[in-house]
């Protein structure tokens, strides 16, 4: 297991921000992961687990403790059952399942990060969420001191949330198992309106899985959501804020504020989100509150391609990023009475 001291963490994140860790360990096997976690817990050393670094905002002072980078590898297909090691590159794994003619995660193409992070956030995009295909998650339980296998139900998935996110210091994901679909090379039914429109099909139709993946990659690239070292619009954590889920009463209050501010003929996006709840669009809120694409004249700006992405233009600090995030959050609240919640995990800092 590789060990470094006073190790820079910024290169391990897609923001390319954050100070160093006291110690950085890189684990390439599950046994190494477990040994590193046990050592930290036994000594009372603070522990930061890093996968692909695509959902992390690390403070400029860094991390006083042990940062554990999970670099395990493992991709195993047994018919339609897929098992991924936590350190597997997620986007590459999606490509391999599509090449194998399987459906279920093709619309999650291009999402940066590692496989082990996907159940934590219940990663989703373009009408798919990993919770729809995950059957089990194998994790090290730091409280029990043993490896456990959690069923889909035990993961307690909800919108961008899970049991792992609810208890961030308890579980370290080791492996994730999925049940995919053999639809003869076709995708799962297309659910997302933008995807269906771009494909020229109706919602519920199937298309070749490879075509669905390629279409999603193009859509994501057009929004700066596919990593490109030369494109500062991709120096981000993707969507910085989650889409607000409101009670029907709260949505009615929000709608009244929209009409008062923008006119009675303006209707914000609204999507069913379970009994008595409505989901609206964070991107719409940000834009209509006056924070348009490219907003900001400092080293941290809103992406020129998508209002949900806050970006490092190459010279930013974490504090620059948080200053922008707070401005956007507070501006949206002042305009519409809704408080946006950050999607990335913050380390050593708070929004």
């Amino acid at each position: 297991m590789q060990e470094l001291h006073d190790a820079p963490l910024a290169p391990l994140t897609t923001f390319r921000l954050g100070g160093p860790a006291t110690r950085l360990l890189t684990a390439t096997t599950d046994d190494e992961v477990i040994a590193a976690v046990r050592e930290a817990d036994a000594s009372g050393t603070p522990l930061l687990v890093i996968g692909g670094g695509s959902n992390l905002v690390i403070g400029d002072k860094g991390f006083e403790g042990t940062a554990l980078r999970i670099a395990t590898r493992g991709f195993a297909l047994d018919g339609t059952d897929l098992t991924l090691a936590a350190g597997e590159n997620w986007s590459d794994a999606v490509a391999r399942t599509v090449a194998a003619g399987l459906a279920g995660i093709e619309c999650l193409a291009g999402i940066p990060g590692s496989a082990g992070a996907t159940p934590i956030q219940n990663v989703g995009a373009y009408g798919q969420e990993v919770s729809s295909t995950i059957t089990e998650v194998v994790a090290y339980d730091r409280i029990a001191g043993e490896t456990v296998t959690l069923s889909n139900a035990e993961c307690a998935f909800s919108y961008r949330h899970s049991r792992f996110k609810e208890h961030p210091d308890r579980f370290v994901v080791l492996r994730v198992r999925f049940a995919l679909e053999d639809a003869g090379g076709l995708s799962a039914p297309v659910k997302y309106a933008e995807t269906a429109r771009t494909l020229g099909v109706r919602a519920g139709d199937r298309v070749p899985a490879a075509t669905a993946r390629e279409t999603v990659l193009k859509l994501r690239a057009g929004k700066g959501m596919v990593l490109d070292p030369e494109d500062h619009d991709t120096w981000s954590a993707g969507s910085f804020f989650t889409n607000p889920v409101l009670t029907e009463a709260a949505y009615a209050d929000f709608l009244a504020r929209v009409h008062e501010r923008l006119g009675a003929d303006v209707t914000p996006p609204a999507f069913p989100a379970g009994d008595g709840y409505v989901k609206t669009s964070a991107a719409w809120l940000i834009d209509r509150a006056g924070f348009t694409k490219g907003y900001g004249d400092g080293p941290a700006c809103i992406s020129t391609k998508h209002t949900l992405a806050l970006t490092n233009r190459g010279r930013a600090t974490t504090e620059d990023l948080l200053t922008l995030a707070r401005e956007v959050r507070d501006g949206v609240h002042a305009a519409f009475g809704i408080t946006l919640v950050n999607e990335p995990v913050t380390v050593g800092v708070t929004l």
Side-chain angles (χ1 to χ4, degrees):
M1 184 158 50
Q2 184 187 67
E3 179 174 343
L4 298 173
H5 294 268
D6 195 26
L9 295 180
L12 301 182
T13 74
T14 52
F15 265 124
R16 296 162 174 83
L17 294 176
T22 306
R23 182 172 72 148
L24 171 65
L25 301 177
T26 299
T28 58
T29 69
D30 289 353
D31 286 345
E32 288 181 350
V33 172
I34 293 169
V37 174
R38 283 177 170 165
E39 178 194 40
D41 288 348
S43 63
T45 302
L47 180 69
L48 171 63
V49 178
I50 301 176
S54 60
N55 204 45
L56 275 181
V57 178
I58 299 173
D60 292 316
K61 292 183 179 180
F63 183 72
E64 292 188 10
T66 296
L68 172 61
R69 178 171 172 259
I70 298 182
T72 53
R73 292 292 179 266
F75 177 102
L77 265 179
D78 181 7
T80 56
D81 295 330
L82 170 68
T83 300
L84 294 177
E88 277 289 328
N89 179 282
W90 173 253
S91 190
D92 289 349
V94 172
R96 292 176 70 177
T97 65
V98 170
L102 300 178
I105 56 175
E106 64 280 355
C107 290
L108 302 178
I111 294 177
S114 62
T118 60
I120 298 172
Q121 195 77 0
N122 185 17
V123 163
Y126 295 97
Q128 292 182 344
E129 288 183 330
V130 292
S131 58
S132 298
T133 51
I134 287 176
T135 56
E136 294 179 335
V137 176
V138 180
Y140 178 70
D141 184 337
R142 297 169 67 181
I143 293 179
E146 63 183 12
T147 300
V148 296
T149 299
L150 287 80
S151 68
N152 182 290
E154 291 172 322
C155 293
F157 290 120
S158 59
Y159 173 66
R160 300 298 175 270
H161 201 70
S162 70
R163 184 178 181 184
F164 310 105
K165 191 172 182 180
E166 184 73 21
H167 304 285
D169 296 325
R170 178 168 182 177
F171 298 102
V172 178
V173 175
L174 301 173
R175 303 199 166 256
V176 188
R177 296 180 177 132
F178 302 80
L180 304 179
E181 179 188 7
D182 184 351
L186 296 179
S187 69
V190 177
K191 295 181 179 180
Y192 199 67
E194 183 184 17
T195 313
R197 186 169 58 250
T198 303
L199 286 164
V201 300
R202 295 171 300 180
D205 287 349
R206 294 178 185 261
V207 298
T211 301
R213 173 180 172 272
E214 291 162 6
T215 299
V216 165
L217 286 173
K218 289 177 182 177
L219 288 171
R220 290 185 64 85
K223 299 173 183 178
M225 299 290 186
V226 177
L227 293 180
D228 179 353
E230 303 302 317
D231 183 359
H232 285 290
D233 273 331
T234 73
W235 289 32
S236 75
S239 298
F240 194 88
F241 297 104
T242 59
N243 290 323
V245 177
L246 310 174
T247 64
E248 291 179 348
Y251 182 79
D253 291 341
F254 162 54
L255 190 60
R257 294 187 68 149
V258 169
H259 290 164
E260 180 181 355
R261 179 183 176 90
L262 302 176
D265 59 335
V266 176
T267 302
F271 310 94
D275 190 28
Y277 290 90
V278 180
K279 181 168 65 176
T280 191
S281 166
W284 189 93
L285 289 166
I286 293 167
D287 181 75
R288 294 306 180 98
F291 303 101
T292 54
K293 295 174 185 177
Y295 177 88
D297 55 7
C301 299
I302 290 178
S303 165
T304 65
K305 300 182 179 73
H306 200 290
T307 53
L308 262 185
L310 308 187
T311 67
N312 170 14
R313 310 314 291 184
R315 299 178 292 104
T317 64
T318 300
E319 189 55 35
D320 291 328
L321 173 75
L322 294 177
T323 297
L324 174 64
R326 292 171 187 136
E327 182 184 3
V328 172
R329 178 200 60 191
D330 295 347
V332 167
H333 186 269
F336 300 114
I338 292 176
T339 301
L340 295 178
V341 176
N342 52 292
E343 187 166 329
V345 175
T346 55
V347 178
V349 291
T350 58
L351 185 58

